[in-house]
Amino acid sequence: MADAYIIDAARTPRGIGKQGKGALTEFHPGRLLAKVFEEIQKRNSLTTDDIDDVVVACSSQVGKQGFCVGRMAALDAGWSDKACGMTLDRFCGSGITSVNIAAANLMSGMDDLCVAGGVEMMSYTPTVPRADNNRTVDGSNLHLRDLHPQPHQGICADMIATIDGFSREEVDALAVESQRRAKVAIENGHFDKSLITVTNDDGSIALDKEEFPRPGTTLESLSNLDTVFDKFMGIPVDDTGETFDQLVKRAYPDMKINHVHHAGNSSGVVDGAAALIMSSKKYADQVGWKPRAKVKAIATVGGSPTLMLNEPVPAAKKVLARAGMTINDIDLFEVNEAFSVVAAKFIRDLDLDIDKVNVNGGAMALGHPIGATGSILIGTVLDELERRDLNTGLITMCTGGGMAPAIIIERV
């Protein structure tokens, strides 16, 4: 099997994902991704005629984010029309999956040059009119609902905290640490290698730094926040009139949920985009690129759609087995902080050293632009491995529907 090399990674800063408040909210999603494409092309002298495929993740493919935003963004960036493109959705895990698909194509020998990445404009998609008022991932498929009731992900996070015994104090403490680490990373330039300055088309700066973090966050300030997802329980999930608490009771009729999650220990709503150049060794040698890393192994797992967020641990175990590695062979871990309990459970169940996990903070501090996050995290781990002169990183994340993709990268 051939090697899949990562040549470079680039991303936007994450902008606050609320209309009128975030610096990126006026961008078309395809144009925002095109800005990343333009920068990564320029700094690597990328010949876009040679690109076999552009594999882009986007979870809410509606309105402006529909119509194969991956292909459209490549064209918007002025890339060759020979550079094919596709757009995929694996909920929150989409941005790892785009990289994994590109890697698989390269490792199979069918492609020599791919660009992978993702985009999500969360400031835009909440305002898009939908065909119905569906609020659950089953798309109002009532037969599916009878088989697999799937509550809101925030409710799932509280269910997992209840089942696994995580307290409000524990999940809040992890959120405070995420903010502290993000503050240190930003102040010391740990993100600078991948970060691009997003400019408006007139050349003025739209955003050149992370916009979401709240570095003054403390345990006391978080303790004053009301939990959120208990307020969702009585909300109808669609025009059937069924509520979220009724969905929960289908699978867990006797569960009394201890609601512990709120805005401060859940992932932030933001806009963002990311891209990675990936190639075969043959192509890298041909154009004189020095690869930064190679893909050691990829994996995806599925599990309970009702609990939905529990699969990063089995995904990590599966990708380690594929690579013939153990936990001790990994220098840095990144697990998306969709909700605090996801990271807390990952650290506890795998018995990890917390100083190796999400070392620059995570989505509770920096935000989670759904389709882009996985690609961002891969670039973040690569930059940090180089900064610390370490070798291997494992990246994984939970997704809607009860799945998790994972990837192990190794410096070369």
Side-chain angles (χ1 to χ4, degrees):
M1 186 165 58
D3 285 325
Y5 287 101
I6 298 173
I7 306 302
D8 200 10
R11 68 171 179 90
T12 68
R14 282 157 281 201
I16 293 171
K18 293 183 180 179
Q19 288 289 337
K21 292 187 177 181
L24 301 178
T25 59
E26 297 305 314
F27 277 83
H28 188 288
R31 186 71 191 118
L32 184 67
L33 181 56
K35 293 284 184 179
V36 185
F37 285 171
E38 290 167 2
E39 178 61 26
I40 206 166
Q41 176 191 7
K42 180 171 68 176
R43 70 191 199 187
N44 292 281
S45 301
L46 173 65
T47 302
T48 61
D49 270 353
D50 294 344
I51 296 173
D52 293 305
D53 213 354
V54 178
V55 187
V56 165
C58 182
S59 187
S60 295
Q61 293 180 37
V62 293
K64 294 177 183 178
Q65 289 194 165
F67 307 103
C68 192
V69 68
R71 167 67 167 174
M72 296 303 119
L75 295 173
D76 190 5
W79 287 8
S80 169
D81 56 14
K82 295 178 182 178
C84 297
M86 64 171 286
T87 307
L88 63 88
D89 173 20
R90 198 194 295 276
F91 299 109
C92 298
S94 303
I96 292 179
T97 298
S98 65
V99 174
N100 285 0
I101 288 175
N105 291 348
L106 294 164
M107 294 163 86
S108 73
M110 294 296 103
D111 286 343
D112 282 306
L113 176 62
C114 294
V115 175
V119 63
E120 202 82 39
M121 296 290 293
M122 298 184 77
S123 60
Y124 167 67
T125 51
T127 66
V128 175
R130 305 297 292 265
D132 54 36
N133 66 344
N134 177 58
R135 297 183 180 92
T136 185
V137 299
D138 66 19
S140 292
N141 181 339
L142 301 186
H143 182 268
L144 169 60
R145 190 173 298 174
D146 287 339
L147 296 171
H148 298 292
Q150 298 176 71
H152 186 280
Q153 289 191 357
I155 295 171
C156 295
D158 285 341
M159 293 169 70
I160 292 167
T162 301
I163 293 168
D164 283 73
F166 288 100
S167 68
R168 167 77 181 258
E169 292 73 20
E170 287 174 301
V171 294
D172 278 359
L174 200 57
V176 171
E177 180 63 8
S178 181
Q179 292 282 357
R180 187 195 70 78
R181 292 180 179 193
K183 179 177 184 289
V184 170
I186 291 166
E187 290 177 347
N188 290 278
H190 297 178
F191 300 135
D192 290 356
K193 190 165 188 175
S194 289
L195 211 61
I196 73 163
T197 295
V198 180
T199 58
N200 298 305
D201 287 338
D202 65 4
S204 61
I205 293 175
L207 188 64
D208 61 357
K209 61 182 180 299
E210 300 288 357
E211 196 174 31
F212 187 79
R214 292 151 294 188
T217 300
T218 64
L219 277 174
E220 182 180 6
S221 66
L222 291 188
S223 70
N224 291 324
L225 295 178
D226 290 338
T227 54
V228 172
F229 302 107
D230 48 331
K231 299 174 179 64
F232 282 35
M233 296 297 281
I235 296 176
V237 302
D238 54 22
D239 58 11
T240 65
E242 186 166 24
T243 59
F244 281 115
D245 61 326
Q246 290 171 329
L247 278 185
V248 172
K249 287 176 181 177
R250 285 183 182 225
Y252 293 90
D254 300 321
M255 178 180 287
K256 181 175 174 54
I257 300 175
N258 178 27
H259 293 279
V260 297
H261 288 91
H262 48 74
N265 59 27
S266 304
S267 55
V269 175
V270 295
D271 300 328
L276 294 87
I277 297 176
M278 304 177 68
S279 83
S280 64
K281 184 178 188 303
K282 178 180 72 174
Y283 187 85
D285 289 346
Q286 176 185 319
V287 300
W289 280 337
K290 183 179 179 182
R292 296 174 61 190
K294 69 178 180 179
V295 176
K296 185 77 173 175
I298 60 177
T300 311
V301 302
S304 167
T306 298
L307 290 175
M308 202 176 297
L309 311 176
N310 269 339
E311 305 319 309
V313 169
K317 291 178 178 178
K318 183 175 181 178
V319 77
L320 284 166
R322 268 208 185 141
M325 302 172 78
T326 71
I327 287 289
N328 294 330
D329 295 318
I330 303 298
D331 295 310
L332 295 175
F333 297 85
E334 198 76 31
V335 58
N336 186 42
E337 295 172 351
F339 302 93
S340 184
V341 74
V342 176
K345 183 176 173 62
F346 187 79
I347 293 165
R348 187 197 66 183
D349 288 3
L350 292 174
D351 193 24
L352 299 178
D353 179 350
I354 194 172
D355 290 333
K356 293 183 176 182
V357 184
N358 297 358
V359 297
N360 289 317
M364 291 186 287
L366 297 158
H368 173 25
I370 298 172
T373 302
S375 300
I376 290 173
L377 297 184
I378 293 168
T380 296
V381 168
L382 177 53
D383 290 348
E384 192 64 17
L385 288 172
E386 291 175 342
R387 195 181 74 80
R388 297 184 180 211
D389 195 23
L390 299 173
N391 293 313
T392 58
L394 188 156
I395 305 97
T396 186
M397 57 204 307
C398 59
T399 90
M403 300 178 285
I407 183 172
I408 295 173
I409 63 171
E410 181 178 71
R411 286 179 62 203
V412 294

